[in-house]
Amino acid sequence: MSYDIKKSVRYVALQALERIQQGGAYSNLLLKEEIDKGELSQQDSRLLTELVYGTVSRQLLLEFYLQPFISKAKKVNNWVKLLLELSIYQLYYLDRVPDHAVLNEAVEIAKIRGNSGIGKFVNGVLRNIKRQGLPKTSTIKDPTERLAIQMSMPKWLTKKLIEELGTEQTKQLGDSLFSPSRVSLRVDTHRISRKNALASLAENGIEAVESTISEYGIIAEKGFIGKSDLFKKGFLTVQDETSMLVAPMLQIEKHHQVLDACAAPGGKTTHIASFLSKQQKGEVTALDVHEHKIQLIKENAKRMEVDEVIRPEKLDARKVNETFDEASFDRILVDAPCSGLGLMRRKPDIKYGKKPADLEKLAQVQLEILESVASTLKPMGILVYSTCTILSEENQQVVEQFLQKHSEFELMDMPISKSLASSLHNKMLTIYPHQYNTDGFFISCLRKKR
């Protein structure tokens, strides 16, 4: 029995939740690691993903639900709390798992992981919860705290979002994060049209539709696209729809010298490369500060068959002006290191680990990178600054501070589709996760006037 329980999806999910909470792994990478071990069936892999993502994305709400039922206990180990929260998630958010199965397996895990006494405790708590029902969030008097618990988002972040978006939009954003990410892919339209790619996938039993916000994107709705011939041959690459918007913003010509200052893992780099021509001496210099990430860029470039116009190089983007001559590049992309708060749907644990002070430090790094690359852009060249976060400290405020110091730059109009018009303010594009069911993302385009 002990062997079977330790191999069960719920036992693996509990271990994963512990590692995530201890800061040992990001949820998305850890799940990939567990699934790649190959010990779980496809069905169990889906259940594991559901259990871990569902529990992590509602962590604060589940803690609120659990607290009254364990408040009188002398001490409750952290793993026991996680097991109870995992069980509450199954009892109240999953339809296909019978309650008795949830209770029985939770008790067995508690007995094997701890002892029979903990098993009885877990059994008692879960039966009390089913008997009494969950506490109501409406009892929380502070409206910001109430919304924060309902969205399972730190209060400071909830407050910031309310200040920037308003209460209703913040609520919509928070609610949207409970729905899973869609699988979106970029089609290499220089090798196959989007229409033909969709037809080819359909022949392989994979259902996909066109993205409405990127002319290069498709959304997979049914079937495992990773096994398709198009994916294996590099005609498709996994990329969020918002990330696909970046390379076209650079308005690249075939002969251009492009700098991708923070390139790893190389998704945007390969997109940039698809617009360049080796015969016309076009090239993208792709930088990253970590050697192992340079390898990722090389692997991506080779799979997408654009490696002949990509030059990966290990370098801290803050030292670009010390390494390259003035006016070296026609185009520069600064896809800056950031808090990643636009990725809260894909990495639900990211929202719990960030603090307001992190934003200040990151904004400083972002400005240092912009400062470093500014002189290496040719006059009339285009600099695109983007992040995968949604707070103004790392986005609009960084751009505005840079422009105050660099009068030779100006914001320019961006080539976007009509469907994105409502996301454009003061020539800067901010996409929130609830608007198009994508990641959150920020893009601005600056032209160097002289």
Side-chain angles (χ1 to χ4, degrees):
M1 188 65 183
S2 63
Y3 176 81
D4 290 336
I5 281 293
K6 288 186 176 180
K7 288 284 185 183
S8 74
V9 177
R10 290 169 183 83
Y11 197 96
V12 175
L14 175 62
Q15 289 179 313
L17 290 170
E18 283 185 276
R19 285 183 62 189
I20 293 166
Q21 197 173 73
Q22 290 162 4
Y26 281 120
S27 53
N28 60 325
L29 298 178
L30 190 145
L31 277 171
K32 186 175 184 305
E33 180 185 317
E34 292 291 344
I35 291 168
D36 285 350
K37 285 180 183 174
E39 295 181 0
L40 299 177
S41 66
Q42 196 170 341
Q43 186 179 4
D44 283 349
S45 297
R46 283 199 293 270
L47 178 59
L48 177 67
T49 303
E50 169 75 56
L51 294 179
V52 173
Y53 267 54
T55 304
V56 173
S57 64
R58 292 172 174 80
Q59 187 74 52
L60 301 183
L61 181 60
L62 294 171
E63 286 175 6
F64 172 81
Y65 286 151
L66 177 62
Q67 186 55 34
F69 298 96
I70 62 171
S71 59
K72 292 181 181 176
K74 286 183 180 176
K75 182 185 177 185
V76 183
N77 289 327
N78 200 51
W79 69 266
V80 178
K81 286 182 189 173
L82 285 173
L83 176 60
L84 288 166
E85 288 160 8
L86 174 64
S87 302
I88 294 172
Y89 174 71
Q90 294 172 77
L91 290 171
Y92 288 93
Y93 294 98
L94 297 187
D95 298 329
R96 288 169 294 177
V97 186
D99 288 358
H100 65 83
V102 175
L103 264 70
N104 289 344
E105 196 151 350
V107 171
E108 287 304 316
I109 290 172
K111 286 159 62 178
I112 294 298
R113 177 71 190 271
N115 53 50
S116 59
I118 296 177
K120 287 178 183 174
F121 175 74
V122 166
N123 186 46
V125 169
L126 292 178
R127 289 190 184 282
N128 272 340
I129 289 172
K130 285 305 293 180
R131 198 161 40 241
Q132 297 177 30
L134 297 174
K136 306 289 185 189
T137 55
S138 57
T139 59
I140 303 172
K141 291 181 181 175
D142 181 338
T144 303
E145 185 179 350
R146 182 167 60 243
L147 183 57
I149 293 295
Q150 289 169 341
M151 298 192 303
S152 200
M153 194 176 285
K155 189 176 176 182
W156 72 267
L157 181 53
T158 304
K159 190 177 176 185
K160 270 192 180 295
L161 287 171
I162 290 173
E163 288 168 0
E164 296 194 6
L165 285 173
T167 302
E168 185 53 37
Q169 287 285 315
T170 299
K171 186 175 184 310
Q172 288 179 25
L173 189 159
D175 289 346
S176 81
L177 298 178
F178 294 141
S179 62
S181 298
R182 299 188 299 184
V183 178
S184 59
L185 299 106
R186 173 166 57 80
V187 180
D188 185 348
T189 55
H190 292 84
R191 299 164 73 190
I192 187 172
S193 71
R194 188 161 66 164
K195 184 178 177 183
N196 286 342
L198 290 173
S200 175
L201 290 173
E203 287 174 5
N204 289 305
I206 298 169
E207 294 178 14
V209 297
E210 293 183 350
S211 163
T212 58
I213 67 169
S214 168
E215 62 183 299
Y216 302 95
I218 61 172
I219 311 298
E221 296 189 327
K222 191 176 179 183
F224 183 40
I225 212 153
K227 288 188 175 177
S228 70
D229 289 340
L230 288 185
F231 184 81
K232 290 175 183 172
K233 291 176 181 174
F235 286 65
L236 304 174
T237 190
V238 176
Q239 193 172 25
D240 191 75
E241 294 168 86
T242 53
S243 294
M244 298 176 206
L245 298 172
V246 174
M249 299 287 185
L250 288 159
Q251 302 180 40
I252 297 165
E253 296 178 26
K254 292 181 183 298
H255 64 281
H256 275 162
Q257 293 297 306
V258 184
L259 174 68
D260 188 351
C262 312
K268 298 179 190 72
T269 312
T270 55
H271 198 184
I272 290 169
S274 70
F275 295 103
L276 297 169
S277 162
K278 183 185 178 185
Q279 287 70 33
Q280 297 187 37
K281 301 187 184 308
E283 186 177 62
V284 51
T285 302
L287 307 182
D288 196 89
V289 73
H290 301 293
E291 187 62 45
H292 69 281
K293 291 189 176 179
I294 293 294
Q295 192 58 37
L296 277 179
I297 297 170
K298 289 178 180 174
E299 289 169 7
N300 264 324
K302 193 169 183 181
R303 192 180 71 81
M304 299 295 288
E305 296 185 2
V306 288
D307 48 323
E308 63 179 8
V309 292
I310 296 178
R311 184 160 63 93
E313 195 168 323
K314 181 175 177 295
L315 184 70
D316 187 326
R318 290 171 290 187
K319 296 183 177 178
V320 166
N321 58 350
E322 299 172 16
T323 308
F324 298 97
D325 293 335
E326 286 189 13
S328 294
F329 300 105
D330 301 282
R331 302 287 187 263
I332 293 178
L333 169 62
V334 175
D335 188 49
C338 67
S339 62
L341 289 170
L343 309 178
M344 289 187 283
R345 190 201 318 275
R346 202 179 300 279
K347 301 176 182 177
D349 43 323
I350 207 164
K351 58 190 174 185
Y352 307 123
K354 300 298 176 188
K355 296 181 176 62
D358 296 334
L359 307 186
E360 293 177 23
K361 290 177 187 171
L362 284 163
Q364 185 59 39
V365 172
Q366 291 151 359
L367 278 166
E368 287 172 10
I369 293 173
L370 285 173
E371 187 66 39
S372 173
V373 304
S375 64
T376 64
L377 184 64
K378 293 178 182 176
M380 300 312 293
I382 295 174
L383 165 62
V384 168
Y385 174 76
S386 62
T387 72
C388 56
T389 192
I390 51 176
L391 295 178
S392 62
E393 281 100 324
E394 298 178 79
N395 296 332
Q396 288 89 346
Q397 292 180 32
V398 168
V399 173
E400 286 161 5
Q401 284 186 64
F402 176 75
L403 288 173
Q404 283 173 10
K405 193 174 176 184
H406 289 273
S407 60
E408 74 273 26
F409 281 87
E410 64 180 355
L411 279 165
M412 56 181 284
D413 293 325
M414 286 190 273
I416 59 169
S417 65
K418 289 182 181 176
S419 62
L420 290 171
S422 62
S423 299
L424 190 66
H425 300 283
N426 299 325
K427 295 187 177 180
M428 292 183 266
L429 187 72
T430 309
I431 295 174
Y432 296 96
H434 62 293
Q435 293 176 311
Y436 311 98
N437 200 23
T438 62
D439 289 342
F441 212 82
F442 172 83
I443 306 176
S444 58
C445 295
L446 296 88
R447 181 186 288 111
K448 194 173 188 180
K449 294 182 285 185
R450 55 183 187 276

